[in-house]
């Protein structure tokens, strides 16, 4: 292995992004549980909790806590439909103190439609949405004319790639439910303002079904297209302020994985060259740019939105296997350094502290020209899963990505100026627990151009929670699930308030 | 030779797709990540039909930017162009989707264009 990793050494007055809270670790047994809590919440927190447990008294606070828990599911076992103050989307919410769970239920009705249709007699291909008109022309261009062979080829392609089969509908529904419940559930938890051992973990329950029902929070059209297809109507969610069951959506079946990539870019170099001026972009979203022009776009797009913001940028230099190994390692480094230096010194500049440079020489490479390249990865580099992002709108969130003039996609989408607050920014700022306001910035966050569900993306869940637990309120408690309950070292409470019922009874 | 009507939709240069037709009947297709390429030739009558539909859709009177509805998130972008009647029109519709009422005439125009192009492609 010939890896050389060099964090940038250039002084940077800006601060690094503070680390996000680590999920608490769960051990086996009381001692391990206490140790885990000390690691995740600190000694002071554990000391307070232990003191409270050891000195458990039927005082007023204890009685109020037990009365709160005894309220059972809030506001009721069926929950209540809710729409955020953002006026976006809608979902059902309930809080169950017995399980420390806030359950977010999202009902999505789907009108499954084929992306293209074909007349089996004439082979004429018809788009079922204007966004697929070019796709229809593409299919016909591959097999033009009126011969039986051409007609049969078009019929086969449309029926195979652009028409729903019954099993595909079922699979898509199941995949969508699993995607959202996994991507959005359990990422963070909330803690009661009044009692720091009363929590709310967030569980997402997505109910996707074929057909549109009156109580659906979102009524969506999903067009069938082939996996990886990049043309067609853009994914959209339209909301109705004041109505939590009136959002509509328009998606493609390929949105279940997503087909765009705004977190990975590449420049290909000439043979034995590290000259940016003759390099060319092979990036998915902007192929063919000259090297400097491409980097100019990245500098514009990936400015930090806050003094502590800005996604890390990893630059990896490669070389093809042609030529000497050591020389290729040096060449890959020169290529990577050329990119890093450009980002650091041109336009509004990318802060050097955000940049890591790596040279891997010919590791994993072949002799072909594709390996004469530099890869530029933003954040965790996981291309966005479109349906996970769009569902964020159903949860009431707004876009956080920016499309500035001079960037890759100037003016695209609903993004605003980098650094300006987003539509759920005020809600995020009010979450407590150190959560900052949310601003426009291109990074690996779910409502930007990535997949990471960060604390601010739970803003509408907290808003909903506080609406059903009133007058008690919660605040942001940390990443992951709530900590393991303090081990009961002294047995059950001696005195139970007369109006309390056992927890867990609905 | 001038452009009767053309459009390209997509969020980024690498994802744009569309079609454009010239007054000599030539039709070009844009696929994601590729360059425009010729795919069909419209008849003179078809060119006239497309021109008439382009005028009727109000393409020549569109502003440079048509915003997406305030309650829509996403929806993509579409750039429309025409050089009919000595004009040179370029308009970008944000939220190019049925849920955006100002977009509907252009959406119907693209469907009509698709029908004309498909007929030209399938007659060989």
């Amino acid at each position: 292995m010939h890896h050389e990793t060099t964090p940038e050494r250039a002084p940077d007055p800006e601060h690094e992004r503070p680390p996000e809270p680590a999920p608490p670790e769960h051990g086996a047994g009381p001692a391990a549980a206490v140790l885990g809590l000390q690691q995740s919440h600190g000694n002071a927190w554990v000391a307070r909790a232990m003191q409270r447990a050891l000195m458990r008294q039927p005082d007023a606070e204890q009685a109020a806590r037990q009365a709160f828990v005894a309220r059972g599911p809030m506001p009721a076992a069926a929950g209540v439909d809710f729409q955020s103050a953002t006026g976006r989307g809608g979902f059902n919410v309930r809080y169950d103190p017995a399980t420390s769970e806030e359950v977010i239920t999202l009902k999505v009705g789907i009108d499954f439609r084929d992306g293209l249709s074909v007349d089996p007699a004439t082979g004429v291909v018809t788009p079922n949405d204007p966004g697929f008109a070019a796709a229809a022309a593409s299919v016909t261009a591959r097999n033009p004319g009126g011969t039986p062979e051409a007609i049969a080829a078009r019929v086969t392609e449309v029926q195979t790639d652009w028409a729903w089969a019954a099993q595909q509908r079922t699979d898509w529904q199941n995949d969508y439910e699993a995607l959202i419940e996994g991507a959005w559930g359990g990422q963070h938890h909330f803690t009661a303002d009044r009692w720091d051992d009363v929590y709310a973990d967030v569980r997402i329950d997505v109910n996707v079904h074929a057909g549109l029902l009156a109580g659906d929070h979102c009524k969506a059209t999903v067009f069938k297209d082939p996996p990886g297809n990049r043309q067609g109507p853009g994914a959209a969610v339209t909301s109705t302020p004041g109505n939590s069951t009136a959002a509509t959506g328009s998606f493609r079946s390929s949105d279940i994985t997503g087909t765009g990539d705004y977190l990975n870019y590449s420049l290909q170099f000439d043979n034995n060259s590290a000259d940016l001026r003759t390099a060319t972009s092979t990036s998915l979203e902007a192929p063919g740019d000259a090297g400097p022009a491409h980097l100019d776009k990245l500098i514009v797009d990936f400015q930090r939105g806050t003094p502590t913001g800005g996604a890390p940028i990893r630059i990896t230099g490669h070389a093809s296997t042609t030529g000497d190994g050591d020389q290729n390692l040096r060449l890959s480094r020169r290529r990577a350094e050329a990119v890093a230096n450009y980002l650091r010194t041109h336009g509004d500049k990318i802060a050097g502290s955000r940049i890591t440079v790596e040279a891997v020489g010919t590791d994993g490479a072949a002799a072909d020209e594709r390996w004469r390249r530099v890869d530029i990865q933003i954040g965790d580099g996981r291309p966005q899963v479109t349906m996970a992002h769009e569902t964020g709108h159903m949860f009431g969130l707004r876009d956080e990505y920016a499309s500035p003039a001079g960037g890759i996609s100037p003016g695209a989408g609903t993004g605003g100026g980098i650094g300006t607050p987003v539509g759920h920014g005020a809600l995020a700022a009010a979450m407590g627990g150190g959560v900052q306001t949310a601003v426009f910035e291109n990074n690996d966050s779910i409502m930007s151009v990535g997949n990471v569900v960060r604390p601010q993306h739970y803003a509408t869940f907290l808003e909903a929670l506080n609406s059903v637990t009133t007058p008690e309120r919660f605040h942001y408690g940390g990443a992951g699930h709530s900590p393991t309950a303090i081990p009961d070292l002294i047995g059950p409470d001696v005195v139970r308030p007369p109006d309390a019922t056992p927890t867990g009874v609905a | 030779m001038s452009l009767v009507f053309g459009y390209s939709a997509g969020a980024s240069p690498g994802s744009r797709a569309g079609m454009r037709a010239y007054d000599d009947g030539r039709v070009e297709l844009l696929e994601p990540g590729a360059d425009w390429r010729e795919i069909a030739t419209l008849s003179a009558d078809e060119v006239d039909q497309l021109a008439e539909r382009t005028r009727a859709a109000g393409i020549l009177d569109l502003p440079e930017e048509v915003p997406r509805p305030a309650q829509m998130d996403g929806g993509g972008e579409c750039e429309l162009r025409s050089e009919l009647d000595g004009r040179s029109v370029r308009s970008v519709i944000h939220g190019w989707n049925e849920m955006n009422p100002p977009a509907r005439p252009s959406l119907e125009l693209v469907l009509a264009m698709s029908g004309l192009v498909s007929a030209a492609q399938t007659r060989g």
Side-chain angles (χ1 to χ4, degrees), chain A residues 93-106:
Chain A
V93 59
R94 73 175 187 269
Y95 174 67
D96 187 346
T99 56
S100 297
E101 271 190 338
E102 179 191 19
V103 181
I104 303 293
T105 302
L106 181 69

Side-chain angles (χ1 to χ4, degrees), chain A residues 204-388:
Chain A
I204 306 293
D205 181 14
V206 181
N207 176 348
V208 184
H209 54 87
L212 309 179
L213 302 175
D216 292 336
H217 300 106
C218 183
K219 298 167 184 65
T221 300
V222 181
F223 291 99
K224 177 69 174 70
D225 68 343
N229 171 57
R230 283 172 58 77
Q231 54 181 318
V237 174
T238 300
S239 302
T240 301
N243 191 336
S244 59
T245 57
T248 59
S250 178
F251 313 112
R252 307 192 308 250
S253 60
S254 59
D255 288 335
I256 197 69
T257 55
T259 57
D261 186 352
Y262 290 89
L263 294 178
N264 293 282
Y265 301 87
S266 289
L267 288 181
Q268 188 168 319
F269 289 76
D270 285 346
N271 186 30
N272 198 29
S273 170
D275 188 346
L276 272 178
R277 293 169 299 181
T278 55
T280 304
S281 157
T282 56
S283 304
L284 183 66
E285 304 299 348
D289 286 344
H294 197 59
L295 296 181
D296 286 341
K297 292 178 180 177
L298 300 190
I299 291 169
V300 168
D301 271 343
F302 292 101
Q303 288 295 308
R304 53 180 33 154
T306 65
T308 56
I313 299 175
R314 184 177 192 83
I315 298 170
T316 305
H318 299 270
S320 73
T321 55
T322 305
D324 174 73
D326 288 342
Q327 184 181 342
N328 279 332
L329 180 61
R330 289 193 294 274
L331 177 60
S332 70
R333 169 159 291 285
R334 290 207 313 276
R335 287 170 174 165
E337 291 287 2
V339 169
N341 288 338
Y342 193 96
L343 294 178
R344 227 171 31 205
T345 57
H346 285 72
D348 287 335
K349 303 182 180 69
I350 297 290
S353 60
R354 294 173 56 195
I355 298 174
T356 301
V357 177
E358 182 180 28
V360 297
T362 59
D363 283 0
D368 65 271
E369 62 184 15
R370 290 176 304 161
W371 290 94
R372 297 167 189 152
R373 73 171 197 263
V374 168
D375 295 331
I376 304 162
Q377 176 185 303
I378 313 297
D380 68 10
R382 291 186 297 139
Q384 184 164 77
V385 177
T386 307
M387 286 311 299

Side-chain angles (χ1 to χ4, degrees), chain A residues 196-211:
Chain A
D196 61 7
D197 61 347
V198 174
Y199 305 106
D201 290 316
V202 176
R203 177 159 65 88
I204 306 293
D205 181 14
V206 181
N207 176 348
V208 184
H209 54 87

Side-chain angles (χ1 to χ4, degrees), chain A residues 4 67 119 128 149 187 195 258 296 322 337 350 379 383 393 416 424 438 446 452 486:
Chain A
E4 294 179 4
D119 183 327
N128 292 322
E149 294 77 15
Q187 300 295 323
W195 310 286
D296 286 341
T322 305
E337 291 287 2
I350 297 290
H393 295 312
H424 52 277
I446 184 68
V452 181
I486 288 288

Side-chain angles (χ1 to χ4, degrees), chain A residues 468-491:
Chain A
V468 298
T469 61
T470 188
E472 303 303 340
R473 295 183 61 80
F474 286 69
H475 59 271
Y476 180 74
H481 284 279
S482 60
T484 307
I486 288 288
D488 195 341
L489 303 176
I490 59 170

